[in-house]
Amino acid sequence: NGLNLIPVYAAVRLIADSVSTLPIQGGKKLPDGSRKPVPVPGVVSEPSTQFTRVTWLHRCIVSALTDGNAFGWHVERKGGRPSRTVWLDPHSVDIVDGVDGPRFYFNGKEIPRLDILHIPTFAVAGQTRGISPIAAAASAVRSGLRAQEFTDEWFKNKTIPSSTFKNTAVTLDSEQAETVSDRLTERMRAGKPLVMGKDWEYDLLKISADDAGFIASSRATASQIAAIF
């Protein structure tokens, strides 16, 4: 899921928050240049009995940006016009193209075409289902996810020791080495100074240049994702 990547989540949240909180006003321009208020359709002004208008719009934008499609099901009508619309999980909607146009199925159940509201993010000729920014730049997103997963695994698993503490004069058995390691770790965690003896050498281990470059690539990916959105 692209939302696991912080730059993708941040971009989607910023756009969805901005759009969903915009004021919605209807109006008609008159010949004298003045503007006459026009009531906003209920499907937008009061779209749901369960959610506020902001939450309702937010769900639409998130679906459109992450999946490339927002699917709304008109569950109520007034005067022949939709008055209540519920947004569907886009992953549960299937589209079957036919000679008479597309047919929409939600969890295997067909929805009458007049009752479906389909908003594709990027419409492609000859293709009903839209394409999301993430799909359009899948390679950049996959690269960022791999870099983030690598960083998480590096710090979580500690596959390579972070340092070595070696005595150049005395050979320690496993029990003595474990005791020295525990005492060293305890002092480091306490933030206390490390007192070095005559024959001790302490070295911090660093990751390779290739690994460092791979982690740094996540910063470049963040810039690319921001540009995409």
Side-chain angles (χ1 to χ4, degrees):
N1 185 350
L3 288 176
N4 293 334
L5 188 61
I6 292 175
V8 174
Y9 169 79
V12 171
R13 185 188 64 178
L14 175 63
I15 297 173
D17 287 351
S18 300
V19 174
S20 62
T21 54
L22 287 174
I24 296 179
Q25 299 174 343
K28 180 180 179 180
K29 188 175 182 180
L30 301 178
D32 61 0
S34 62
R35 191 173 182 84
K36 177 184 178 181
V38 175
V40 177
V43 71
V44 176
S45 61
E46 299 177 4
S48 172
T49 57
Q50 296 177 308
F51 308 106
T52 64
R53 178 178 60 83
V54 171
T55 302
W56 183 80
L57 285 172
H58 198 280
R59 288 172 174 246
C60 169
I61 303 303
V62 170
S63 293
L65 291 176
T66 56
D67 182 79
N69 302 270
F71 297 99
W73 190 346
H74 301 313
V75 295
E76 288 185 17
R77 290 179 178 273
K78 289 183 179 179
R81 302 187 61 179
S83 59
R84 290 285 186 274
T85 301
V86 176
W87 297 112
L88 306 177
D89 179 2
H91 298 99
S92 299
V93 176
D94 296 314
I95 303 176
V96 178
D97 291 310
V99 292
D100 57 344
R103 303 174 71 175
F104 297 87
Y105 296 84
F106 177 62
N107 288 332
K109 178 182 179 180
E110 183 174 6
I111 302 176
R113 195 177 308 169
L114 290 178
D115 290 339
I116 194 76
L117 172 62
H118 178 209
I119 305 176
T121 305
F122 290 110
V124 180
Q127 182 174 319
T128 303
R129 185 177 286 272
I131 299 177
S132 69
I134 295 177
S139 60
V141 174
R142 281 196 295 267
S143 175
L145 286 172
R146 285 196 297 269
Q148 182 169 290
E149 289 171 359
F150 176 86
T151 305
D152 291 342
E153 289 300 318
W154 173 269
F155 287 107
K156 181 174 67 176
N157 295 331
K158 295 289 186 181
T159 54
I160 299 177
S162 59
S163 61
T164 61
F165 197 46
K166 179 175 64 175
N167 190 302
T168 58
V170 180
T171 300
L172 306 179
D173 58 32
S174 59
E175 184 177 349
Q176 291 173 325
E178 189 68 22
T179 300
V180 172
S181 174
D182 290 342
R183 290 179 179 176
L184 174 63
T185 302
E186 181 181 351
R187 294 195 66 83
M188 293 177 66
R189 286 178 176 173
K192 296 181 179 179
L194 179 64
V195 179
M196 307 288 283
K198 175 181 177 182
D199 298 313
W200 290 97
E201 291 181 1
Y202 181 70
D203 292 319
L204 289 173
L205 298 183
K206 299 181 180 179
I207 61 177
S208 68
D210 289 342
D211 291 342
F214 187 56
I215 293 176
S217 69
S218 62
R219 289 192 290 269
T221 302
S223 299
Q224 294 169 0
I225 291 173
I228 289 167
F229 278 94

